[in-house]
mmCIF file of all heavy atoms in Angstrom:
data_model
loop_
_atom_site.group_PDB
_atom_site.id
_atom_site.type_symbol
_atom_site.label_atom_id
_atom_site.label_comp_id
_atom_site.label_asym_id
_atom_site.label_seq_id
_atom_site.Cartn_x
_atom_site.Cartn_y
_atom_site.Cartn_z
ATOM 1 N N GLU A 285 51.323 218.623 51.591
ATOM 2 C CA GLU A 285 52.558 219.406 51.538
ATOM 3 C C GLU A 285 53.052 219.765 52.927
ATOM 4 O O GLU A 285 54.237 220.003 53.141
ATOM 5 C CB GLU A 285 52.335 220.690 50.720
ATOM 6 C CG GLU A 285 52.223 220.437 49.231
ATOM 7 C CD GLU A 285 52.158 221.737 48.453
ATOM 8 O OE1 GLU A 285 52.671 222.746 48.972
ATOM 9 O OE2 GLU A 285 51.607 221.750 47.346
ATOM 10 N N ARG A 286 52.127 219.785 53.881
ATOM 11 C CA ARG A 286 52.519 220.162 55.238
ATOM 12 C C ARG A 286 52.626 218.942 56.153
ATOM 13 O O ARG A 286 52.767 219.063 57.361
ATOM 14 C CB ARG A 286 51.505 221.151 55.812
ATOM 15 C CG ARG A 286 51.404 222.451 55.029
ATOM 16 C CD ARG A 286 50.440 223.415 55.680
ATOM 17 N NE ARG A 286 49.058 222.924 55.649
ATOM 18 C CZ ARG A 286 48.227 223.103 54.627
ATOM 19 N NH1 ARG A 286 48.641 223.734 53.546
ATOM 20 N NH2 ARG A 286 46.990 222.638 54.680
ATOM 21 N N SER A 287 52.525 217.739 55.566
ATOM 22 C CA SER A 287 52.528 216.516 56.369
ATOM 23 C C SER A 287 53.801 215.720 56.117
ATOM 24 O O SER A 287 54.402 215.803 55.049
ATOM 25 C CB SER A 287 51.311 215.656 56.006
ATOM 26 O OG SER A 287 50.117 216.376 56.202
ATOM 27 N N PRO A 288 54.214 214.908 57.105
ATOM 28 C CA PRO A 288 55.387 214.061 56.904
ATOM 29 C C PRO A 288 55.029 212.854 56.050
ATOM 30 O O PRO A 288 53.867 212.591 55.766
ATOM 31 C CB PRO A 288 55.755 213.646 58.333
ATOM 32 C CG PRO A 288 54.447 213.662 59.063
ATOM 33 C CD PRO A 288 53.661 214.790 58.464
ATOM 34 N N SER A 289 56.034 212.090 55.665
ATOM 35 C CA SER A 289 55.792 210.851 54.942
ATOM 36 C C SER A 289 55.043 209.897 55.858
ATOM 37 O O SER A 289 55.333 209.801 57.050
ATOM 38 C CB SER A 289 57.121 210.226 54.497
ATOM 39 O OG SER A 289 57.805 211.112 53.635
ATOM 40 N N ALA A 290 54.059 209.191 55.291
ATOM 41 C CA ALA A 290 53.252 208.281 56.112
ATOM 42 C C ALA A 290 52.492 207.333 55.206
ATOM 43 O O ALA A 290 52.457 207.491 53.988
ATOM 44 C CB ALA A 290 52.280 209.065 56.998
ATOM 45 N N THR A 291 51.879 206.312 55.837
ATOM 46 C CA THR A 291 51.047 205.358 55.123
ATOM 47 C C THR A 291 49.590 205.610 55.498
ATOM 48 O O THR A 291 49.227 205.659 56.681
ATOM 49 C CB THR A 291 51.435 203.909 55.486
ATOM 50 O OG1 THR A 291 52.803 203.704 55.138
ATOM 51 C CG2 THR A 291 50.578 202.909 54.734
ATOM 52 N N VAL A 292 48.734 205.818 54.482
ATOM 53 C CA VAL A 292 47.324 206.129 54.702
ATOM 54 C C VAL A 292 46.474 205.206 53.845
ATOM 55 O O VAL A 292 46.963 204.533 52.936
ATOM 56 C CB VAL A 292 47.013 207.608 54.356
ATOM 57 C CG1 VAL A 292 47.775 208.552 55.256
ATOM 58 C CG2 VAL A 292 47.341 207.879 52.893
ATOM 59 N N SER A 293 45.184 205.191 54.124
ATOM 60 C CA SER A 293 44.240 204.390 53.353
ATOM 61 C C SER A 293 43.541 205.290 52.344
ATOM 62 O O SER A 293 42.908 206.287 52.717
ATOM 63 C CB SER A 293 43.215 203.723 54.271
ATOM 64 O OG SER A 293 42.303 202.947 53.526
ATOM 65 N N LEU A 294 43.680 204.954 51.041
ATOM 66 C CA LEU A 294 43.066 205.735 49.969
ATOM 67 C C LEU A 294 42.342 204.803 49.017
ATOM 68 O O LEU A 294 42.666 203.616 48.911
ATOM 69 C CB LEU A 294 44.117 206.549 49.209
ATOM 70 C CG LEU A 294 44.812 207.679 49.954
ATOM 71 C CD1 LEU A 294 45.915 208.274 49.094
ATOM 72 C CD2 LEU A 294 43.816 208.761 50.356
ATOM 73 N N LYS A 295 41.366 205.354 48.287
ATOM 74 C CA LYS A 295 40.632 204.584 47.304
ATOM 75 C C LYS A 295 40.899 205.141 45.902
ATOM 76 O O LYS A 295 40.945 206.361 45.708
ATOM 77 C CB LYS A 295 39.122 204.612 47.615
ATOM 78 C CG LYS A 295 38.752 203.908 48.920
ATOM 79 C CD LYS A 295 37.260 203.877 49.125
ATOM 80 C CE LYS A 295 36.898 203.198 50.445
ATOM 81 N NZ LYS A 295 37.280 201.775 50.470
ATOM 82 N N PHE A 296 41.089 204.223 44.951
ATOM 83 C CA PHE A 296 41.360 204.602 43.564
ATOM 84 C C PHE A 296 40.441 203.827 42.633
ATOM 85 O O PHE A 296 39.971 202.722 42.962
ATOM 86 C CB PHE A 296 42.815 204.310 43.199
ATOM 87 C CG PHE A 296 43.813 205.100 43.994
ATOM 88 C CD1 PHE A 296 44.365 204.582 45.160
ATOM 89 C CD2 PHE A 296 44.190 206.369 43.588
ATOM 90 C CE1 PHE A 296 45.281 205.308 45.902
ATOM 91 C CE2 PHE A 296 45.103 207.104 44.326
ATOM 92 C CZ PHE A 296 45.655 206.577 45.483
ATOM 93 N N SER A 297 40.202 204.403 41.465
ATOM 94 C CA SER A 297 39.370 203.755 40.448
ATOM 95 C C SER A 297 40.253 202.908 39.549
ATOM 96 O O SER A 297 41.022 203.431 38.735
ATOM 97 C CB SER A 297 38.620 204.807 39.622
ATOM 98 O OG SER A 297 37.734 205.547 40.446
ATOM 99 N N SER A 298 40.166 201.606 39.684
ATOM 100 C CA SER A 298 40.969 200.690 38.888
ATOM 101 C C SER A 298 40.359 200.515 37.503
ATOM 102 O O SER A 298 39.331 201.139 37.164
ATOM 103 C CB SER A 298 41.064 199.332 39.595
ATOM 104 O OG SER A 298 41.599 199.480 40.895
ATOM 105 N N LYS A 299 40.972 199.631 36.679
ATOM 106 C CA LYS A 299 40.445 199.361 35.347
ATOM 107 C C LYS A 299 39.006 198.859 35.439
ATOM 108 O O LYS A 299 38.659 198.089 36.326
ATOM 109 C CB LYS A 299 41.311 198.302 34.644
ATOM 110 C CG LYS A 299 42.603 198.862 34.072
ATOM 111 C CD LYS A 299 43.255 197.926 33.098
ATOM 112 C CE LYS A 299 43.690 196.618 33.745
ATOM 113 N NZ LYS A 299 44.486 195.783 32.803
ATOM 114 N N GLY A 300 38.174 199.319 34.529
ATOM 115 C CA GLY A 300 36.769 198.921 34.537
ATOM 116 C C GLY A 300 35.920 199.732 35.485
ATOM 117 O O GLY A 300 34.740 199.433 35.682
ATOM 118 N N GLY A 301 36.530 200.774 36.112
ATOM 119 C CA GLY A 301 35.763 201.640 37.004
ATOM 120 C C GLY A 301 35.546 201.073 38.379
ATOM 121 O O GLY A 301 34.750 201.612 39.158
ATOM 122 N N ILE A 302 36.219 199.989 38.729
ATOM 123 C CA ILE A 302 36.059 199.367 40.041
ATOM 124 C C ILE A 302 36.854 200.158 41.074
ATOM 125 O O ILE A 302 38.032 200.462 40.872
ATOM 126 C CB ILE A 302 36.541 197.904 40.003
ATOM 127 C CG1 ILE A 302 35.727 197.109 38.986
ATOM 128 C CG2 ILE A 302 36.458 197.279 41.384
ATOM 129 C CD1 ILE A 302 36.241 195.703 38.773
ATOM 130 N N THR A 303 36.233 200.509 42.181
ATOM 131 C CA THR A 303 36.913 201.237 43.245
ATOM 132 C C THR A 303 37.626 200.247 44.158
ATOM 133 O O THR A 303 37.018 199.291 44.652
ATOM 134 C CB THR A 303 35.926 202.069 44.061
ATOM 135 O OG1 THR A 303 35.323 203.033 43.205
ATOM 136 C CG2 THR A 303 36.637 202.793 45.198
ATOM 137 N N THR A 304 38.937 200.478 44.352
ATOM 138 C CA THR A 304 39.747 199.590 45.185
ATOM 139 C C THR A 304 40.464 200.416 46.238
ATOM 140 O O THR A 304 41.020 201.487 45.953
ATOM 141 C CB THR A 304 40.788 198.836 44.339
ATOM 142 O OG1 THR A 304 40.112 198.149 43.280
ATOM 143 C CG2 THR A 304 41.569 197.844 45.187
ATOM 144 N N GLY A 305 40.439 199.934 47.479
ATOM 145 C CA GLY A 305 41.147 200.615 48.557
ATOM 146 C C GLY A 305 42.565 200.089 48.686
ATOM 147 O O GLY A 305 42.811 198.895 48.527
ATOM 148 N N TYR A 306 43.526 200.997 48.939
ATOM 149 C CA TYR A 306 44.923 200.614 49.074
ATOM 150 C C TYR A 306 45.526 201.265 50.318
ATOM 151 O O TYR A 306 45.220 202.431 50.638
ATOM 152 C CB TYR A 306 45.750 201.089 47.862
ATOM 153 C CG TYR A 306 45.498 200.347 46.579
ATOM 154 C CD1 TYR A 306 44.550 200.810 45.683
ATOM 155 C CD2 TYR A 306 46.227 199.194 46.262
ATOM 156 C CE1 TYR A 306 44.330 200.150 44.482
ATOM 157 C CE2 TYR A 306 46.006 198.529 45.068
ATOM 158 C CZ TYR A 306 45.069 198.998 44.173
ATOM 159 O OH TYR A 306 44.849 198.336 43.002
ATOM 160 N N LEU A 307 46.396 200.497 51.006
ATOM 161 C CA LEU A 307 47.303 201.120 51.961
ATOM 162 C C LEU A 307 48.377 201.817 51.135
ATOM 163 O O LEU A 307 49.123 201.169 50.405
ATOM 164 C CB LEU A 307 47.931 200.072 52.877
ATOM 165 C CG LEU A 307 47.074 199.568 54.035
ATOM 166 C CD1 LEU A 307 47.832 198.489 54.799
ATOM 167 C CD2 LEU A 307 46.719 200.717 54.971
ATOM 168 N N THR A 308 48.409 203.136 51.203
ATOM 169 C CA THR A 308 49.249 203.931 50.308
ATOM 170 C C THR A 308 50.326 204.656 51.097
ATOM 171 O O THR A 308 50.011 205.454 51.996
ATOM 172 C CB THR A 308 48.393 204.964 49.546
ATOM 173 O OG1 THR A 308 47.313 204.273 48.909
ATOM 174 C CG2 THR A 308 49.228 205.694 48.512
ATOM 175 N N HIS A 309 51.597 204.358 50.756
ATOM 176 C CA HIS A 309 52.707 205.072 51.393
ATOM 177 C C HIS A 309 53.061 206.265 50.515
ATOM 178 O O HIS A 309 53.315 206.136 49.311
ATOM 179 C CB HIS A 309 53.920 204.158 51.540
ATOM 180 C CG HIS A 309 55.076 204.829 52.240
ATOM 181 N ND1 HIS A 309 55.111 205.030 53.604
ATOM 182 C CD2 HIS A 309 56.218 205.373 51.760
ATOM 183 C CE1 HIS A 309 56.224 205.644 53.937
ATOM 184 N NE2 HIS A 309 56.921 205.858 52.829
ATOM 185 N N ILE A 310 53.074 207.458 51.117
ATOM 186 C CA ILE A 310 53.334 208.699 50.372
ATOM 187 C C ILE A 310 54.513 209.422 51.010
ATOM 188 O O ILE A 310 54.568 209.579 52.235
ATOM 189 C CB ILE A 310 52.099 209.624 50.384
ATOM 190 C CG1 ILE A 310 50.866 208.869 49.878
ATOM 191 C CG2 ILE A 310 52.347 210.863 49.526
ATOM 192 C CD1 ILE A 310 49.582 209.657 50.019
ATOM 193 N N CYS A 311 55.443 209.831 50.184
ATOM 194 C CA CYS A 311 56.555 210.665 50.674
ATOM 195 C C CYS A 311 56.843 211.737 49.640
ATOM 196 O O CYS A 311 56.549 211.579 48.447
ATOM 197 C CB CYS A 311 57.801 209.821 50.949
ATOM 198 S SG CYS A 311 58.476 209.001 49.512
ATOM 199 N N SER A 312 57.382 212.835 50.090
ATOM 200 C CA SER A 312 57.693 213.948 49.183
ATOM 201 C C SER A 312 59.119 213.827 48.681
ATOM 202 O O SER A 312 59.992 213.273 49.337
ATOM 203 C CB SER A 312 57.488 215.289 49.888
ATOM 204 O OG SER A 312 58.359 215.384 51.003
ATOM 205 N N ALA A 313 59.345 214.340 47.475
ATOM 206 C CA ALA A 313 60.677 214.348 46.869
ATOM 207 C C ALA A 313 60.793 215.602 46.023
ATOM 208 O O ALA A 313 59.789 216.144 45.557
ATOM 209 C CB ALA A 313 60.890 213.100 46.010
ATOM 210 N N THR A 314 62.003 216.091 45.835
ATOM 211 C CA THR A 314 62.219 217.321 45.078
ATOM 212 C C THR A 314 63.048 217.040 43.841
ATOM 213 O O THR A 314 64.127 216.467 43.917
ATOM 214 C CB THR A 314 62.930 218.385 45.937
ATOM 215 O OG1 THR A 314 62.133 218.662 47.073
ATOM 216 C CG2 THR A 314 63.126 219.672 45.137
ATOM 217 N N TRP A 315 62.515 217.400 42.682
ATOM 218 C CA TRP A 315 63.262 217.352 41.418
ATOM 219 C C TRP A 315 63.296 218.762 40.860
ATOM 220 O O TRP A 315 62.251 219.395 40.686
ATOM 221 C CB TRP A 315 62.591 216.417 40.420
ATOM 222 C CG TRP A 315 63.013 214.991 40.545
ATOM 223 C CD1 TRP A 315 64.073 214.389 39.963
ATOM 224 C CD2 TRP A 315 62.366 213.981 41.323
ATOM 225 N NE1 TRP A 315 64.138 213.064 40.323
ATOM 226 C CE2 TRP A 315 63.106 212.793 41.149
ATOM 227 C CE3 TRP A 315 61.252 213.963 42.140
ATOM 228 C CZ2 TRP A 315 62.752 211.607 41.760
ATOM 229 C CZ3 TRP A 315 60.891 212.787 42.753
ATOM 230 C CH2 TRP A 315 61.640 211.625 42.563
ATOM 231 N N GLY A 316 64.513 219.254 40.566
ATOM 232 C CA GLY A 316 64.629 220.636 40.107
ATOM 233 C C GLY A 316 64.188 221.576 41.208
ATOM 234 O O GLY A 316 64.633 221.501 42.339
ATOM 235 N N GLN A 317 63.277 222.470 40.887
ATOM 236 C CA GLN A 317 62.784 223.448 41.857
ATOM 237 C C GLN A 317 61.387 223.095 42.362
ATOM 238 O O GLN A 317 60.770 223.869 43.088
ATOM 239 C CB GLN A 317 62.761 224.842 41.201
ATOM 240 C CG GLN A 317 64.110 225.306 40.685
ATOM 241 C CD GLN A 317 65.122 225.445 41.807
ATOM 242 O OE1 GLN A 317 64.808 225.942 42.881
ATOM 243 N NE2 GLN A 317 66.347 225.007 41.558
ATOM 244 N N GLN A 318 60.857 221.927 41.974
ATOM 245 C CA GLN A 318 59.465 221.614 42.280
ATOM 246 C C GLN A 318 59.361 220.390 43.178
ATOM 247 O O GLN A 318 60.112 219.428 43.029
ATOM 248 C CB GLN A 318 58.702 221.363 40.975
ATOM 249 C CG GLN A 318 57.188 221.292 41.153
ATOM 250 C CD GLN A 318 56.477 221.109 39.822
ATOM 251 O OE1 GLN A 318 57.054 220.599 38.887
ATOM 252 N NE2 GLN A 318 55.224 221.533 39.755
ATOM 253 N N LYS A 319 58.389 220.439 44.089
ATOM 254 C CA LYS A 319 58.144 219.294 44.962
ATOM 255 C C LYS A 319 57.282 218.280 44.235
ATOM 256 O O LYS A 319 56.371 218.617 43.484
ATOM 257 C CB LYS A 319 57.452 219.750 46.244
ATOM 258 C CG LYS A 319 57.167 218.602 47.217
ATOM 259 C CD LYS A 319 56.486 219.088 48.478
ATOM 260 C CE LYS A 319 57.458 219.812 49.390
ATOM 261 N NZ LYS A 319 56.867 220.153 50.701
ATOM 262 N N HIS A 320 57.606 216.991 44.444
ATOM 263 C CA HIS A 320 56.824 215.898 43.896
ATOM 264 C C HIS A 320 56.469 214.935 45.025
ATOM 265 O O HIS A 320 57.048 214.992 46.112
ATOM 266 C CB HIS A 320 57.613 215.162 42.803
ATOM 267 C CG HIS A 320 57.824 215.958 41.553
ATOM 268 N ND1 HIS A 320 58.665 217.053 41.496
ATOM 269 C CD2 HIS A 320 57.304 215.809 40.306
ATOM 270 C CE1 HIS A 320 58.642 217.546 40.269
ATOM 271 N NE2 HIS A 320 57.835 216.808 39.529
ATOM 272 N N PHE A 321 55.521 214.041 44.754
ATOM 273 C CA PHE A 321 55.071 213.062 45.743
ATOM 274 C C PHE A 321 55.130 211.671 45.130
ATOM 275 O O PHE A 321 54.652 211.460 44.008
ATOM 276 C CB PHE A 321 53.648 213.382 46.201
ATOM 277 C CG PHE A 321 53.489 214.790 46.703
ATOM 278 C CD1 PHE A 321 53.103 215.809 45.847
ATOM 279 C CD2 PHE A 321 53.768 215.099 48.026
ATOM 280 C CE1 PHE A 321 52.971 217.106 46.293
ATOM 281 C CE2 PHE A 321 53.638 216.395 48.486
ATOM 282 C CZ PHE A 321 53.242 217.409 47.624
ATOM 283 N N VAL A 322 55.719 210.748 45.874
ATOM 284 C CA VAL A 322 55.789 209.360 45.438
ATOM 285 C C VAL A 322 54.661 208.585 46.128
ATOM 286 O O VAL A 322 54.597 208.524 47.353
ATOM 287 C CB VAL A 322 57.155 208.733 45.784
ATOM 288 C CG1 VAL A 322 57.190 207.267 45.346
ATOM 289 C CG2 VAL A 322 58.283 209.514 45.113
ATOM 290 N N PHE A 323 53.749 208.019 45.333
ATOM 291 C CA PHE A 323 52.649 207.187 45.827
ATOM 292 C C PHE A 323 53.014 205.723 45.612
ATOM 293 O O PHE A 323 53.318 205.311 44.489
ATOM 294 C CB PHE A 323 51.355 207.488 45.062
ATOM 295 C CG PHE A 323 50.640 208.741 45.490
ATOM 296 C CD1 PHE A 323 51.204 209.993 45.283
ATOM 297 C CD2 PHE A 323 49.396 208.674 46.108
ATOM 298 C CE1 PHE A 323 50.546 211.150 45.657
ATOM 299 C CE2 PHE A 323 48.725 209.824 46.497
ATOM 300 C CZ PHE A 323 49.296 211.062 46.279
ATOM 301 N N GLN A 324 52.992 204.931 46.684
ATOM 302 C CA GLN A 324 53.216 203.495 46.581
ATOM 303 C C GLN A 324 52.010 202.770 47.183
ATOM 304 O O GLN A 324 51.742 202.905 48.373
ATOM 305 C CB GLN A 324 54.491 203.091 47.315
ATOM 306 C CG GLN A 324 55.747 203.751 46.747
ATOM 307 C CD GLN A 324 56.970 203.299 47.495
ATOM 308 O OE1 GLN A 324 57.374 202.145 47.362
ATOM 309 N NE2 GLN A 324 57.551 204.179 48.283
ATOM 310 N N LEU A 325 51.304 202.018 46.339
ATOM 311 C CA LEU A 325 50.101 201.320 46.749
ATOM 312 C C LEU A 325 50.509 199.926 47.215
ATOM 313 O O LEU A 325 50.617 198.982 46.427
ATOM 314 C CB LEU A 325 49.095 201.247 45.593
ATOM 315 C CG LEU A 325 48.298 202.537 45.302
ATOM 316 C CD1 LEU A 325 49.194 203.748 45.121
ATOM 317 C CD2 LEU A 325 47.413 202.355 44.086
ATOM 318 N N LEU A 326 50.763 199.791 48.540
ATOM 319 C CA LEU A 326 51.443 198.613 49.071
ATOM 320 C C LEU A 326 50.531 197.409 49.263
ATOM 321 O O LEU A 326 50.973 196.269 49.139
ATOM 322 C CB LEU A 326 52.103 198.974 50.408
ATOM 323 C CG LEU A 326 53.180 200.075 50.335
ATOM 324 C CD1 LEU A 326 53.708 200.371 51.728
ATOM 325 C CD2 LEU A 326 54.305 199.666 49.415
ATOM 326 N N ALA A 327 49.267 197.595 49.596
ATOM 327 C CA ALA A 327 48.371 196.458 49.825
ATOM 328 C C ALA A 327 46.933 196.918 49.707
ATOM 329 O O ALA A 327 46.593 198.062 50.032
ATOM 330 C CB ALA A 327 48.617 195.846 51.205
ATOM 331 N N GLU A 328 46.072 196.013 49.205
ATOM 332 C CA GLU A 328 44.656 196.332 49.102
ATOM 333 C C GLU A 328 44.013 196.235 50.486
ATOM 334 O O GLU A 328 44.170 195.237 51.198
ATOM 335 C CB GLU A 328 43.964 195.355 48.145
ATOM 336 C CG GLU A 328 44.447 195.489 46.707
ATOM 337 C CD GLU A 328 43.684 194.588 45.763
ATOM 338 O OE1 GLU A 328 42.600 194.104 46.167
ATOM 339 O OE2 GLU A 328 44.165 194.375 44.635
#
């Protein structure tokens, strides 16, 4: 919440419980009165 939009490396549990690392672009967006975050998993 205190960081700018950026691309970071994160790991997620894919189907079958397999852990996969992704270059993840995250940016904040506001709908209504609440802040939201858009996660885009651009590359493994």
Side-chain angles (χ1 to χ4, degrees):
E285 287 186 26
R286 298 183 294 274
S287 302
S289 299
T291 300
V292 297
S293 180
L294 293 174
K295 294 184 181 296
F296 297 93
S297 297
S298 303
K299 281 195 297 187
I302 300 173
T303 298
T304 305
Y306 288 92
L307 281 177
T308 307
H309 182 76
I310 306 173
C311 62
S312 61
T314 301
W315 273 273
Q317 302 298 318
Q318 191 177 25
K319 180 180 286 187
H320 291 70
F321 306 92
V322 179
F323 282 67
Q324 299 181 71
L325 283 52
L326 299 178
E328 294 184 16

